[in-house]
Amino acid sequence: MAVDPALVPRIPLNDGTSIPQIGFGTWQVAPEDAEPSVSEALRVGYRHIDTAAVYANEAEVGQALAKSDLARDDIYVTTKLWNPDHGYDEAMRAFDLSMGKLGLEQLDLYLIHWQCVQFDKYVDTWRALVDLRASGRVRSIGVSNFKEPALRAIIDATGVVPVLNQVELHPWSPQTALRELHAELGIATESWSPLASGQLLDDPTLAVIAEKHGKSTAQVMIRWHLQLGLIVLPKSITPVRIAQNIDVFDFVLDADDMATIATLESGRRTGPDPDEYLELGW
Ligand code: A2P
């Protein structure tokens, strides 16, 4: 079963481009699973793939893109700069390496994966991304796991506002304050681990809402992201789930459902606090 890709809304970005609101997440997709999973995602209607240098699957994502019959312009591709590659020259080299692995001439979106405030290099890194965009090799540039001080610092230094900030976001951690800041600055919000890395799939509150709509808890959470205006990146390597996670356009959560899901907020994260995270390995 496939979903018509035209059903997936596009979110306008602050540089005049737009991005499909559902993307296929490839974090924790092992290299050997990446080509079949991405191929399956494209087959069932995804037109947006999210990878990163540190996922160690860019080459396999690139193989799936190369095998696809779809036109390059019909698929939105994001990758991310890994932590040791902070700095202007390092960022330029990292971008070239990622593009070589992906086998692409032009990237849709390049993100700084983590702010790494401890290095104090993120402004230089951002300057490199600004120049990469000016060169035309990447259409849009943004960040991931950035908090307010680092966001303001890169904007103040360059005058260039990231198109989006990709952050951990799910019903436990809806990132309300950060979303308000993004709205003020014209930055779209993109959700990683939108299903709380699978930890909310058995939640009894979500199960009641899922049963009411004849949908799964995963589909309820994905609708919640969509209805909040977020760009959402569910990950699965299981074909039936890959298809299920984009089959979310035949029901709508009502105001009561949205209010009930809001009660799940606990501040709990499944990943690290960006102010503390400084992983350098692969
Ligand atoms: P798998 O990849 O084995 O299919 P998140 O997107 O928040 O990181 O969550 C990913 C986790 O949720 C993975 O363990 C994935 O399992 C699981 N998952 C993704 N979609 C579904 C679904 N529709 N039903 C059940 N589990 C799912």
Side-chain angles (χ1 to χ4, degrees):
M1 197 197 50
V3 159
D4 178 356
L7 288 175
V8 181
R10 294 186 78 99
I11 296 287
L13 301 176
N14 66 26
D15 61 0
T17 65
S18 65
I19 184 170
Q21 202 177 358
I22 299 182
F24 183 67
T26 67
W27 180 43
Q28 295 179 328
V29 176
E32 63 273 22
D33 294 326
E35 189 275 313
S37 301
V38 172
S39 294
E40 181 64 9
L42 294 173
R43 194 184 70 77
V44 299
Y46 293 77
R47 293 292 180 268
H48 169 184
I49 310 295
D50 182 275
T51 183
V54 73
Y55 301 169
N57 59 23
E58 286 173 309
E60 292 76 10
V61 169
Q63 284 163 18
L65 299 174
K67 276 192 189 175
S68 162
D69 294 335
L70 293 163
R72 170 68 190 92
D73 279 353
D74 289 341
I75 310 176
Y76 194 99
V77 183
T78 302
T79 194
K80 313 185 192 82
L81 170 136
W82 184 231
N83 298 346
D85 298 321
H86 268 285
Y88 188 93
D89 294 337
E90 294 88 337
M92 292 295 187
R93 277 197 293 274
F95 180 79
D96 282 343
L97 266 175
S98 283
M99 293 298 275
K101 288 182 183 166
L102 285 164
L104 297 179
E105 292 294 315
Q106 191 191 41
L107 186 68
D108 295 283
L109 177 61
Y110 197 40
L111 304 180
I112 302 178
H113 206 151
W114 293 85
Q115 56 185 12
C116 298
V117 283
Q118 301 86 338
F119 291 161
D120 197 16
K121 286 188 182 176
Y122 53 84
V123 170
D124 285 343
T125 311
W126 185 243
R127 288 189 203 283
L129 267 61
V130 170
D131 287 351
L132 284 168
R133 191 182 67 171
S135 77
R137 298 191 65 205
V138 58
R139 295 175 68 203
S140 297
I141 52 175
V143 295
S144 183
N145 303 299
F146 268 49
K147 290 196 173 181
E148 178 168 359
L151 273 179
R152 291 201 184 274
I154 60 172
I155 296 168
D156 288 349
T158 64
V160 179
V161 181
V163 293
L164 60 79
N165 188 12
Q166 182 186 127
V167 294
E168 178 177 352
L169 200 159
H170 41 67
W172 280 337
S173 179
Q175 300 270 19
T176 312
L178 189 61
R179 272 165 40 216
E180 281 168 13
L181 176 73
H182 289 169
E184 178 194 318
L185 297 174
I187 299 172
T189 306
E190 187 169 52
S191 308
W192 65 258
S193 283
L195 313 175
S197 287
Q199 294 177 49
L200 271 167
L201 291 163
D202 296 326
D203 180 83
T205 304
L206 293 174
V208 171
I209 299 172
E211 190 167 344
K212 168 176 150 186
H213 293 283
K215 290 290 190 176
S216 71
T217 53
Q219 289 169 313
V220 166
M221 281 187 270
I222 292 164
R223 273 285 342 158
W224 175 81
H225 290 271
L226 294 179
Q227 291 182 216
L228 288 177
L230 308 168
I231 302 149
V232 58
L233 305 171
K235 170 266 173 185
S236 175
I237 55 167
T238 314
V240 70
R241 296 174 177 168
I242 295 173
Q244 190 191 102
N245 292 346
I246 197 170
D247 179 18
V248 291
F249 297 100
D250 57 356
F251 77 111
V252 177
L253 299 174
D254 61 32
D256 285 348
D257 299 330
M258 294 298 281
T260 302
I261 297 171
T263 67
L264 298 178
E265 177 168 5
S266 63
R268 183 169 162 192
R269 294 175 184 276
T270 63
D273 181 332
D275 281 341
E276 286 154 21
Y277 191 66
L278 194 61
E279 182 64 53
L280 298 179
W282 282 71

